[in-house]
Amino acid sequence: MYVTSHRMMPDITSLVKETSENGTDLSADDIGSIEEIPEDTILSRQTSVNLIPFIGQRFISQDAAYEFYCSFAKQCGFSIRRHRTRGKDGVGRGITRRDFTCHRGGYPQLKPAEDGKLQRNRKSSRCGCQAYMRIVKRADFDVPEWRITGFSNVHNHELLRENEVHLLPAYCTLSGDDKSRICMFAKAGMSVRQMLRLMELEKGVKIGCLPFTEIDVRNLLQSFRNVDQDNDALDLLKMCKEKKDKDPDFKYNFKIDSNNRLENIAWSYSSSIRAYEAFGDAVVLDTTHRLDAYDMILGIWVGVDNHGSNCLFGCVLLRDENVQSFSWALKTFLGFMNGKSPQTVLTDQNMWLKESLAAEMPSTKHAFCIWHIVPNFSNWFSILLGSQYDRWKAEFLRLYDLHSVEEFESGWREMVDTYALHGNKHIASLYTLRTYWALPFLRCYFFAGMTGTFQSEAINAYIQRILSAQSVLDNLIEQVAAMVDMKDRVELKQKMQRKDYRVVLKTGSPIESHAAAVLTPFAFCKLQEELVLAPQYASLMIDENYFIVRHHTQMEGGYKVIWVPHDGFTSCSCHHFEFTGILCRHVLRVISTNNCFHIPDQYLHMRWRDIPLPVVQTPALGEHTEKAQWLKSMVSTLVAESIETEERLDFACDHIGLALTRIKGLPGQSHHAHHISYNSPSGSLILPEVEDSDGVGQSFTRIPHDCLALEKPKERRSRDGLDIYRKRRPCPMTCCGQFEHDADDCPLLGGDELNVDNLGFP
């Protein structure tokens, strides 16, 4: 039997004992065999807790557990794959158990040979290896958590050496940065071998030790060549128009450059707009990813709803990374959201985006995501500080999490002196921008808990799921739409399940029961954590409405709490309520010891209450406005009544489906498609010259919701161009003499409606 390599840790010779202490019911399949383990081979959790899986170890998601086990396997000399699951996404409780196994686990399945065809005699690497890790899901107050309940590192094959393991297919991966570099090298005319040598020098690795091979680079370059940027952009716009036809609340906008190529495009779904109306007070704008095949930046607007789940607000694709592009994206997003700016927005350290936000959203507090800053520390400081790096990083994170600005300033000066970092450019930059990332400067603003480790990792995992979509543009849009639809269905199912969920009270306090009746389970869990810790603090009255609250082990210091019972007003110097929307333990201690048995209504934040999403108002519909509003009212009542029971929901879905079928069979508004044709040279997306039958150019609006109502082209695009059908007369758009303007800014095409039928998209 083969176990973990000696370069990693002591040998593991048995299955570690499984436990069900996480509260999840385990079947016989969940419980593995137990063998006696010599005391000297038991892993030391104190020294290797971050390297070696152990029973009871917790993760916020399946992806987090997979990444951890994958990292462990790579250091040991093998790779892993996802194996059996219990449950299914979107059905019942969803997936409740997941097994990860060694890549050589199991045995190859013989494929039946087809008559007349030769079977390839490919040897499989699978040999029935029993190494595995099992995680089981536990959810307290709808907050999912995954725990390891089974782990074995016993292998029946040799493990690879450190200089061999990177050749396993699972580890031959190209990161986003690597793809961007390769794309840049290809544009510079470098050969593949030159690219590999240069990247080896950049990464400081030995020849042949990159995490990818020459074949991987050639395959990536071939995928770039296979991408049809012009046709994909046309398909994307056509698909946006089709979605607009099906859902009038779907919004999108685009911009063309001086060569009439698609420069920017942004979109948002109807459910995203509704979610933003309720939960758009704090958002994350991630612009750190790029679609290399199209050479476009992907921006994603993400937030958190009242149940702690991530919600998508919108997406944008930008050709260039500059102030003008980001300003266009921000203006367009505000247009989608009826001009409503978020209270706070988290981004990476992009100075162009910082400048654009200051100009377009002056009332919004802009902050930098700490999870985009910390990963740079290894490159910035590890060599400089050497063995002191870990201590310095721990001190930095301590300063980051302080409450007092004065303590931060004094602590920062002491840290710079201790580690002799006075002339370091990165330290100087961090200090200059400290009001954008250090929590002592941000706690007075509401961030909905998105600066915390748990929520930040969940947001990053959510974004990674979006990025895992197909590389073709229209497939990306469809994939994101499918994710949004799936999330809506899952949340509807969870809402029904929460009706039967019984909250567990831990203190017996009337304050606790009052909060449980108002807040969502997610928010109540956060408040309950503070309430449970409140008795550990001493409350000292300074005057009638002024208190000092400190931990019972402290003899000095503490937090300043103001409590005015007659007005129901309270505040704390820790600013926890302003920062998260949840009352802190210090305030809860004061009001509970002063005979207050209910939390004042204004301190049960509306965005954390269990209330339905608001209905976003759509533009007036002329003579049908009154009927449309009455229909919306009925639909809202229908949803509220249907989700009470499974039987009602099934009945409603069946009959609404029949009603929609009959409605679609009735005559609708006619769309007069124009037949246009033109030939587009490869390498650019050329918008055709168009003019209506009266010689008047079609106008553009900011959000072209009526665009692209086209008939199906009679012929497909040829290799060298796009064959559509041409109107007789040229378009005045090409005669305006101005370029690089937005679709709604053309001086000759002003108006209120856009008929992009005339743009010649298939």
Side-chain angles (χ1 to χ4, degrees):
M1 303 289 280
Y2 297 91
V3 293
T4 308
S5 171
H6 65 277
R7 65 181 188 274
M8 273 288 301
M9 63 200 78
D11 291 350
I12 305 172
T13 59
S14 175
L15 191 66
V16 183
K17 181 179 179 181
E18 300 185 6
T19 178
S20 60
E21 62 181 357
N22 58 5
T24 304
D25 294 334
L26 302 179
S27 68
D29 293 336
D30 292 323
I31 308 300
S33 59
I34 303 172
E35 301 176 8
E36 293 296 328
I37 304 175
E39 186 174 347
D40 60 350
T41 64
I42 297 179
L43 300 177
S44 171
R45 296 184 184 180
Q46 288 75 21
T47 60
S48 55
V49 65
N50 293 324
L51 296 176
I52 306 171
F54 61 87
I55 301 301
Q57 187 172 358
R58 303 179 181 185
F59 302 94
I60 63 170
S61 66
Q62 295 183 63
D63 293 334
Y66 176 82
E67 292 296 332
F68 173 81
Y69 191 34
C70 188
S71 177
F72 166 78
K74 186 174 182 180
Q75 296 179 68
C76 292
F78 67 101
S79 65
I80 64 172
R81 57 185 174 86
R82 293 177 173 87
H83 192 39
R84 296 178 301 178
T85 63
R86 173 182 294 165
K88 186 178 181 181
D89 274 331
V91 178
R93 294 188 300 167
I95 295 178
T96 59
R97 192 188 76 185
R98 165 78 74 176
D99 286 359
F100 304 111
T101 65
C102 174
H103 72 290
R104 302 193 66 178
Y107 295 95
Q109 296 182 355
L110 297 178
K111 297 180 180 179
E114 297 183 14
D115 295 339
K117 290 187 178 181
L118 295 176
Q119 286 290 103
R120 294 180 62 187
N121 186 20
R122 298 179 60 183
K123 186 176 180 181
S124 173
S125 64
R126 297 193 181 186
C127 59
C129 182
Q130 296 295 315
Y132 81 106
M133 186 181 83
R134 174 173 297 152
I135 57 175
V136 174
K137 182 179 181 180
R138 177 186 177 184
D140 288 335
F141 305 105
D142 287 345
V143 181
E145 178 182 82
W146 294 82
R147 294 187 184 181
I148 296 178
T149 61
F151 171 63
S152 172
N153 205 42
V154 179
H155 299 265
N156 63 355
H157 57 89
E158 292 186 359
L159 301 178
L160 299 180
R161 298 179 182 275
E162 186 176 3
N163 61 348
E164 299 172 337
V165 69
H166 72 279
L167 298 176
L168 288 172
Y171 302 129
C172 289
T173 58
L174 285 160
S175 66
D177 290 339
D178 291 336
K179 291 179 181 178
S180 297
R181 298 289 290 171
I182 292 170
C183 183
M184 182 182 68
F185 294 154
K187 291 178 181 178
M190 295 177 62
S191 68
V192 173
R193 292 187 178 181
Q194 288 174 330
M195 296 179 193
L196 293 173
R197 297 295 86 78
L198 182 55
M199 297 186 77
E200 286 168 351
L201 292 174
E202 289 178 342
K203 295 176 178 291
V205 300
K206 297 179 182 178
I207 296 177
C209 290
L210 287 171
F212 48 86
T213 64
E214 180 178 338
I215 295 177
D216 297 321
V217 176
R218 294 189 183 279
N219 288 339
L220 177 67
L221 295 175
Q222 185 61 41
S223 69
F224 289 168
R225 298 186 187 102
N226 291 339
V227 168
D228 189 344
Q229 295 189 13
D230 297 346
N231 209 32
D232 286 348
L234 293 169
D235 291 341
L236 171 63
L237 293 173
K238 179 182 177 182
M239 194 200 66
C240 287
K241 189 270 161 192
E242 291 173 351
K243 292 190 71 67
K244 185 67 181 180
D245 288 343
K246 296 177 182 178
D247 181 5
D249 291 329
F250 173 80
K251 296 183 179 181
Y252 72 104
N253 193 10
F254 62 92
K255 181 181 179 181
I256 57 175
D257 63 11
S258 59
N259 296 317
N260 284 354
R261 298 179 68 233
L262 180 65
E263 183 174 359
N264 305 322
I265 184 169
W267 68 94
S268 183
Y269 306 94
S270 57
S271 60
S272 299
I273 297 171
R274 291 194 300 271
Y276 182 85
E277 184 68 21
F279 312 116
D281 41 14
V283 301
V284 172
L285 173 54
D286 189 292
T287 59
T288 60
H289 303 282
R290 194 177 193 92
L291 297 184
D292 294 293
Y294 298 92
D295 197 23
M296 299 185 80
I297 299 167
L298 174 62
I300 304 172
W301 298 83
V302 183
V304 176
D305 65 14
N306 54 343
H307 294 285
S309 300
N310 299 120
C311 46
L312 178 72
F313 295 142
C315 297
V316 62
L317 285 168
L318 304 174
R319 180 73 61 186
D320 299 315
E321 189 174 10
N322 52 37
V323 174
Q324 292 75 21
S325 294
F326 286 129
S327 295
W328 181 90
L330 296 173
K331 288 179 182 178
T332 303
F333 182 77
L334 289 177
F336 291 166
M337 305 305 171
N338 301 316
K340 177 183 176 181
S341 297
Q343 296 179 25
T344 57
V345 59
L346 286 162
T347 71
D348 65 311
Q349 289 177 282
N350 189 305
M351 293 299 107
W352 291 312
L353 181 55
K354 175 177 175 290
E355 183 178 341
S356 300
L357 279 165
E360 305 300 335
M361 298 182 179
S363 62
T364 298
K365 174 59 181 176
H366 179 206
F368 295 148
C369 303
I370 191 65
W371 64 85
H372 286 314
I373 298 176
V374 173
N376 296 316
F377 286 174
S378 178
N379 293 331
W380 291 351
F381 303 111
S382 60
I383 297 177
L384 176 66
L385 297 175
S387 60
Q388 293 183 309
Y389 171 71
D390 289 336
R391 289 196 299 273
W392 171 85
K393 184 177 178 181
E395 176 64 12
F396 176 90
L397 294 177
R398 186 189 71 83
L399 295 175
Y400 159 77
D401 202 36
L402 288 174
H403 289 80
S404 168
V405 172
E406 292 76 14
E407 290 183 20
F408 174 87
E409 296 287 357
S410 61
W412 187 270
R413 288 192 295 270
E414 183 179 348
M415 179 193 71
V416 172
D417 292 338
T418 301
Y419 297 95
L421 296 171
H422 298 84
N424 187 275
K425 64 178 182 180
H426 300 299
I427 288 292
S429 176
L430 286 170
Y431 183 75
T432 301
L433 298 171
R434 63 192 181 283
T435 57
Y436 285 87
W437 59 264
L439 293 189
F441 300 92
L442 301 177
R443 292 189 185 276
C444 294
Y445 302 93
F446 180 71
F447 284 93
M450 290 192 295
T451 59
T453 302
F454 176 88
Q455 202 63 54
S456 65
E457 291 180 353
I459 291 173
N460 186 60
Y462 184 81
I463 292 173
Q464 290 302 322
R465 287 198 297 272
I466 294 177
L467 294 172
S468 66
Q470 302 282 342
S471 60
V472 181
L473 287 182
D474 57 340
N475 287 345
L476 172 67
I477 307 295
E478 291 177 354
Q479 186 83 2
V480 176
M483 286 182 57
V484 173
D485 293 341
M486 175 61 73
K487 179 180 181 294
D488 292 342
R489 291 195 295 270
V490 170
E491 287 183 349
L492 183 61
K493 196 78 172 179
Q494 290 176 345
K495 183 173 182 179
M496 295 183 61
Q497 293 173 351
R498 281 194 292 268
K499 291 180 177 295
D500 300 325
Y501 184 81
R502 299 185 62 182
V503 175
V504 178
L505 302 180
K506 297 181 179 180
T507 67
S509 166
I511 291 178
E512 185 181 21
S513 58
H514 173 223
V518 177
L519 301 177
T520 63
F522 171 81
F524 172 70
C525 180
K526 299 298 182 183
L527 180 67
Q528 190 179 53
E529 291 175 359
E530 298 295 318
L531 195 59
V532 168
L533 294 173
Q536 299 181 16
Y537 288 76
S539 174
L540 308 176
M541 178 182 288
I542 305 302
D543 61 27
E544 183 180 2
N545 299 319
Y546 178 37
F547 301 83
I548 295 293
V549 180
R550 56 173 170 252
H551 197 267
H552 70 92
T553 60
Q554 297 176 336
M555 300 304 297
E556 58 183 19
Y559 297 94
K560 302 173 183 178
V561 176
I562 296 176
W563 167 237
V564 185
H566 298 295
D567 299 332
F569 172 80
T570 185
S571 68
C572 180
S573 60
C574 75
H575 299 295
H576 188 73
F577 177 77
E578 293 86 347
F579 190 55
T580 66
I582 302 294
L583 276 181
C584 64
R585 63 198 69 173
H586 316 115
V587 168
L588 292 172
R589 177 61 174 167
V590 169
I591 65 176
S592 62
T593 55
N594 284 272
N595 301 323
C596 179
F597 302 105
H598 288 78
I599 297 175
D601 190 65
Q602 65 268 31
Y603 298 107
L604 294 172
H605 208 297
M606 288 298 297
R607 71 109 60 214
W608 294 127
R609 298 192 184 192
D610 198 356
I611 55 177
L613 290 180
V615 177
V616 178
Q617 297 297 324
T618 55
L621 301 175
E623 61 182 12
H624 303 299
T625 301
E626 185 176 349
K627 290 183 179 180
Q629 295 299 330
W630 180 65
L631 178 61
K632 286 184 178 180
S633 177
M634 284 198 304
V635 170
S636 179
T637 304
L638 175 67
V639 173
E641 292 293 334
S642 299
I643 63 176
E644 292 293 331
T645 65
E646 186 80 27
E647 183 181 2
R648 286 187 176 191
L649 191 61
D650 292 340
F651 180 85
C653 291
D654 293 341
H655 285 72
I656 290 174
L658 294 174
L660 285 175
T661 302
R662 292 191 61 185
I663 291 172
K664 291 179 180 179
L666 298 175
Q669 184 178 359
S670 61
H671 297 276
H672 302 286
H674 298 278
H675 300 291
I676 308 166
S677 73
Y678 82 105
N679 292 321
S680 170
S682 59
S684 66
L685 169 63
I686 306 296
L687 301 185
E689 303 175 355
V690 295
E691 187 176 38
D692 69 3
S693 57
D694 297 325
V696 180
Q698 300 299 312
S699 60
F700 292 78
T701 60
R702 174 169 297 279
I703 301 172
H705 54 80
D706 292 327
C707 66
L708 298 178
L710 295 162
E711 292 181 354
K712 207 170 186 178
K714 295 183 180 178
E715 295 183 20
R716 291 297 300 167
R717 181 183 187 277
S718 66
R719 184 176 182 87
D720 297 325
L722 180 62
D723 297 322
I724 313 178
Y725 295 89
R726 182 185 296 274
K727 287 280 289 183
R728 290 176 299 168
R729 283 176 274 182
C731 171
M733 181 178 70
T734 58
C735 304
C736 67
Q738 299 184 25
F739 300 100
E740 296 186 350
H741 54 262
D742 200 347
D744 55 349
D745 297 328
C746 181
L748 297 184
L749 303 182
D752 298 326
E753 296 295 334
L754 167 67
N755 188 346
V756 189
D757 297 354
N758 296 340
L759 292 183
F761 298 117

